[in-house]
Amino acid sequence: MRRVVARFENGEDASDAEDDLREADFEPERPDIENPFFDPSARPPEARGLLWGGLIGGIVGVAVLLAMAMDMIWFPRLSPFLTAGRLTLVTFGFSIGVAVGGFVGGVWGMLRGVPDPEGPRVEVMVPDARVEDVRNRLRDHDATRVDDAVTHHGSG
């Protein structure tokens, strides 16, 4: 079984989607999710932190190792790295920068609060075989976001 949650711009579209799902023998409801981390339609804040932290860290890592290769800055213990070629230095600098920046960005994102969901939501429990049908029905009623999460596995 899957739990499909859709977000809408206005209540009229959400009501139309609920009516359509009832006609198709589903039981939609308006979810009351107190913790946004359990809402499959909420974007986790750490994702944005990981992306920007990784990109900025990668660029800084490349810049630092290239500056070391061109003798613009010097760190005594890191100088053996400079025996590598420039492509190796760029790759290594980018990799280390992405790892450090992604970690810092992810932690920063986790410290931020999860934004409150905007607009009404509709939730429906669906067997795995009918998930695409429900997702298409919700999109037909102008859902701005449709996500699902597995609730449990089993026959049914």
Side-chain angles (χ1 to χ4, degrees):
M1 290 292 284
R2 288 185 182 258
R3 178 173 169 246
V4 180
V5 179
R7 220 175 257 189
F8 294 89
E9 288 288 326
N10 58 49
E12 186 176 311
D13 289 338
S15 295
D16 291 344
E18 286 177 325
D19 293 340
D20 185 23
L21 290 171
R22 281 189 190 98
E23 289 175 10
D25 294 329
F26 292 108
E27 296 177 16
E29 59 184 51
R30 299 282 174 109
D32 182 29
I33 300 171
E34 292 181 18
N35 188 345
F37 280 105
F38 296 113
D39 182 1
S41 67
R43 183 170 184 237
E46 69 272 12
R48 184 173 173 191
L50 284 169
L51 174 69
W52 286 107
L55 288 174
I56 292 169
I59 291 169
V60 169
V62 167
V64 167
L65 284 185
L66 280 180
M68 287 175 63
M70 298 186 319
D71 292 327
M72 295 173 72
I73 57 175
W74 181 69
F75 295 107
R77 301 246 183 216
L78 297 179
S79 58
F81 284 122
L82 301 179
T83 59
R86 289 190 195 257
L87 181 61
T88 305
L89 285 175
V90 167
T91 304
F92 182 71
F94 186 76
S95 301
I96 295 299
V98 165
V100 171
F103 177 77
V104 170
V107 169
W108 174 75
M110 287 299 293
L111 295 177
R112 295 178 60 212
V114 178
D116 290 332
E118 298 175 7
R121 292 173 294 170
V122 173
E123 169 190 302
V124 63
M125 298 298 286
V126 183
D128 289 10
R130 298 202 53 199
V131 170
E132 280 307 310
D133 178 38
V134 169
R135 290 174 68 96
N136 290 334
R137 286 176 186 274
L138 292 168
R139 285 190 188 109
D140 289 344
H141 291 284
D142 298 326
T144 57
R145 185 168 176 140
V146 179
D147 290 298
D148 61 87
V150 175
T151 58
H152 62 277
H153 296 284
S155 60

